[in-house]
Amino acid sequence: MAFEMVGVVGLGTMGAGIAEVFARGGLRVIGVEADADALARGRGHLERSTQRAVDRGKLAAGDRDEVLGRITLTTSREDLREADLVVEAIPEVLGYKTALMNDLDGICKPETVLATNTSSLSVTAIAAATGRPGRVVGLHFFNPAPVMRLAEVVRTVVTDDDVVPAMRDLAVRLGKTAVVVGDRAGFVVNRLLLPYLNHAAVLMEQGVAGRDDIDAAMRDGAGLPMGPFQLLDLIGLDTAYEIMGVLFDETRDRRHAPAPVLRELVSARLLGRKSGRGFYGDEPRPHEPAKSSVITFDVAGQGGDELAERLGTAGFKRSAEPDVLLRMADRPVIEHAVQLSDPSRLVGVHVVGGRVAEVVSTVLTSPEAAFAAADLMKVIGLAPVACKDRAGFVVDALLYPYLNDAVRMYESGYASIDEIDSAMRLGCGYPAGPFETLESVGLDVVRDGLRALYAEYREPAFAPAPLLDQLVTAGVRTFPRP
């Protein structure tokens, strides 16, 4: 199946990026918008994006002219009559997409493949709106399309046998890594990413930790390129809300119900970067270090001696009657606090990634002790993340369910380990895929952490995936790969 002329309907940031990708791959492109104003905005997206590529040395000036010369812009869908492939990139509203696909079905030649760039909607439902459901497929690019290397190719139960291999080959021709998956809400990336982001919003609403602390914990502690709230603002809170709604409609998993704070912000039209304000947007206030009068400390728990040595080097004194008692822990601290004559001085400390210290307050911890512990962490070069004494604290509470979801996805046969790892690395810019992360952290550590989360929250999805439990029981340290 040869693709030489490609149509792209919808030239917003995403659609214009897709048109640029095709043109850079040497294909002729017909870009379609609803009216002249939208077409002008689309042309602006293309010109600015290709100029940025030139400025960054990613595209020669002469090549830029050739790329733009391959793109014809129009407001008439009729100009798509001879296209070999048409990709829709209009807003994520099922009714809009089905109406467009029905229209394209009557315009394009019978062998033309119609593709949807939906990030979460049912490709099957979109295909059913046409008289050629076997030639409708999902082709999900990631934003910015010219930069991101992943493309999810989504087949349905009625997709023709020759269509998926042809789309995978086209993606490779365009310089993308193609992951072929079935038609489930969210596919691979959004099905794993968005519940993690939603969970972060829930933790914030529950008061486990604040916005900045959660972002710092996941960025600096877990090593992710952005914190969850930074990423939500980049994606767009309306987009995240819509995807979570689609996931919930399919799974009825309460973890997929959009966090109330998402609904509130979307209703207020505070959508993130696109609107100028979302979870962020107000000017950050300079952080004033807490003024503490701590002179002496003590440390208990595994790893405490190393922390004590660092604090001693910084000039603080270890004492049997300390101003603040630090408890090294990766599990709830309250059980240790209740054994003390003065539990108000006890603060949990969980060092993550060598850069972040989760500073854990129990219901008995005094504010002064919590401030003092945070100051101590700063002195020895660790970023303190203030959080409540909940199972998993922040990092593990967000990371482990995401890893568990990946295991369940693989266990169901939806995608392979390599496909899932590649999708999350390339689609999210993560330094490692979930299975690589699992093996780095330790299958037993993650399994035990999930058990602790399940014991506290009684959330069925936090129970370790059967495959993970079986591998740990068998003493296996890595996932079997073909």
Side-chain angles (χ1 to χ4, degrees):
M1 191 182 300
F3 297 110
E4 299 302 331
M5 181 184 292
V6 177
V8 178
V9 182
L11 296 174
T13 303
M14 191 74 237
I18 294 170
E20 180 183 335
V21 167
F22 284 129
R24 285 209 205 186
L27 285 76
R28 289 179 294 154
V29 182
I30 301 170
V32 182
E33 258 298 358
D35 54 44
D37 288 343
L39 203 66
R41 288 193 294 272
R43 180 180 290 107
H45 290 316
L46 286 163
E47 290 174 349
R48 287 190 295 273
S49 176
T50 50
Q51 185 59 51
R52 281 196 299 270
V54 171
D55 294 342
R56 294 171 180 172
K58 303 295 184 182
L59 186 68
D63 292 339
R64 175 180 185 254
D65 294 338
E66 289 186 16
V67 167
L68 293 176
R70 294 190 189 105
I71 303 174
T72 301
L73 301 179
T74 178
T75 57
S76 174
R77 295 177 185 174
E78 294 293 331
D79 291 337
L80 299 169
R81 288 187 306 273
E82 298 303 315
D84 304 308
L85 166 69
V86 178
V87 180
E88 70 78 14
I90 65 173
E92 285 282 282
V93 178
L94 184 61
Y96 295 172
K97 292 183 184 288
T98 53
L100 171 60
M101 285 297 201
N102 181 265
D103 192 24
L104 294 173
D105 187 35
I107 293 171
C108 298
K109 55 191 180 182
E111 61 270 26
T112 298
V113 174
L114 304 180
T116 172
N117 184 58
T118 181
S119 59
S120 61
L121 296 175
S122 169
V123 179
T124 305
I126 294 170
T130 75
R132 62 177 86 190
R135 305 201 70 71
V136 178
V137 69
L139 184 59
H140 180 215
F141 291 91
F142 289 77
N143 194 27
V147 175
M148 301 299 282
R149 292 168 47 206
L150 180 69
E152 290 177 319
V153 177
V154 186
R155 63 179 182 273
T156 73
V157 292
V158 294
T159 304
D160 290 345
D161 291 340
D162 63 334
V163 170
V164 169
M167 298 305 293
R168 182 176 54 223
D169 292 345
L170 176 62
V172 172
R173 175 181 171 184
L174 298 173
K176 306 297 183 185
T177 296
V179 173
V180 178
V181 294
D183 186 20
R184 293 188 188 176
F187 315 133
V188 172
V189 173
N190 283 330
R191 198 177 186 92
L192 294 178
L193 175 65
L194 267 297
Y196 149 70
L197 299 177
N198 195 54
H199 190 190
V202 170
L203 288 185
M204 184 185 74
E205 284 190 308
Q206 292 175 343
V208 174
R211 176 200 69 182
D212 293 353
D213 281 324
I214 292 174
D215 270 357
M218 299 312 293
R219 184 182 61 245
D220 301 327
L224 302 183
M226 302 180 78
F229 298 110
Q230 294 171 311
L231 185 53
L232 278 164
D233 275 1
L234 178 62
I235 292 170
L237 304 191
D238 52 342
T239 300
Y241 184 79
E242 289 163 4
I243 294 173
M244 290 309 304
V246 172
L247 284 172
F248 181 76
D249 287 343
E250 179 175 289
T251 66
R252 298 298 171 181
D253 183 338
R254 64 182 178 181
R255 292 186 312 135
H256 296 161
V261 68
L262 278 178
R263 173 186 54 76
E264 292 181 65
L265 290 169
V266 171
S267 298
R269 305 305 297 165
L270 303 177
L271 308 179
R273 290 192 186 182
K274 68 175 75 175
S275 68
R277 183 179 170 192
F279 283 102
Y280 290 90
D282 47 346
E283 288 299 318
R285 290 176 233 172
H287 177 67
E288 291 293 332
K291 300 296 189 296
S292 68
S293 57
V294 61
I295 300 173
T296 62
F297 72 93
D298 197 9
V299 186
Q302 186 174 1
D305 288 343
E306 179 184 349
L307 187 66
E309 183 178 348
R310 293 174 68 177
L311 289 168
T313 301
F316 294 94
K317 296 179 181 179
R318 192 170 189 175
S319 169
E321 293 293 330
D323 296 316
V324 62
L325 174 60
L326 307 175
R327 178 78 200 192
M328 306 297 293
D330 58 1
R331 295 289 185 271
V333 182
I334 188 65
E335 61 191 58
H336 303 290
V338 295
Q339 300 175 28
L340 301 175
S341 59
D342 183 6
S344 67
R345 294 179 298 163
L346 183 69
V347 181
V349 174
H350 182 216
V351 179
V352 187
R355 299 174 60 189
V356 164
E358 293 175 315
V359 177
V360 185
S361 295
T362 75
V363 292
L364 302 174
T365 303
S366 70
E368 293 78 13
F371 287 140
D375 282 351
L376 290 174
M377 296 305 104
K378 293 175 194 172
V379 167
I380 61 174
L382 294 174
V385 168
C387 59
K388 289 185 178 178
D389 189 27
R390 302 289 188 271
F393 308 138
V394 174
V395 174
D396 293 352
L398 290 176
L399 181 63
Y400 291 175
Y402 152 71
L403 299 177
N404 203 39
D405 284 345
V407 177
R408 292 183 186 278
M409 179 179 284
Y410 166 66
E411 197 171 20
S412 73
Y414 181 65
S416 71
I417 288 174
D418 289 343
E419 286 172 328
I420 295 170
D421 273 353
S422 294
M424 298 312 291
R425 281 198 313 271
L426 300 177
C428 299
Y430 282 6
F435 291 93
E436 294 166 325
T437 302
L438 265 161
E439 291 168 351
S440 174
V441 173
L443 274 60
D444 56 337
V445 173
V446 174
R447 192 275 307 268
D448 293 345
L450 286 165
R451 285 179 170 177
L453 286 168
Y454 177 74
E456 176 145 323
Y457 292 103
R458 295 297 194 268
E459 173 59 59
F462 290 169
L467 176 60
L468 177 60
D469 209 9
Q470 291 162 11
L471 291 174
V472 173
T473 301
V476 177
R477 298 180 180 274
T478 61
F479 279 83
R481 293 170 172 81

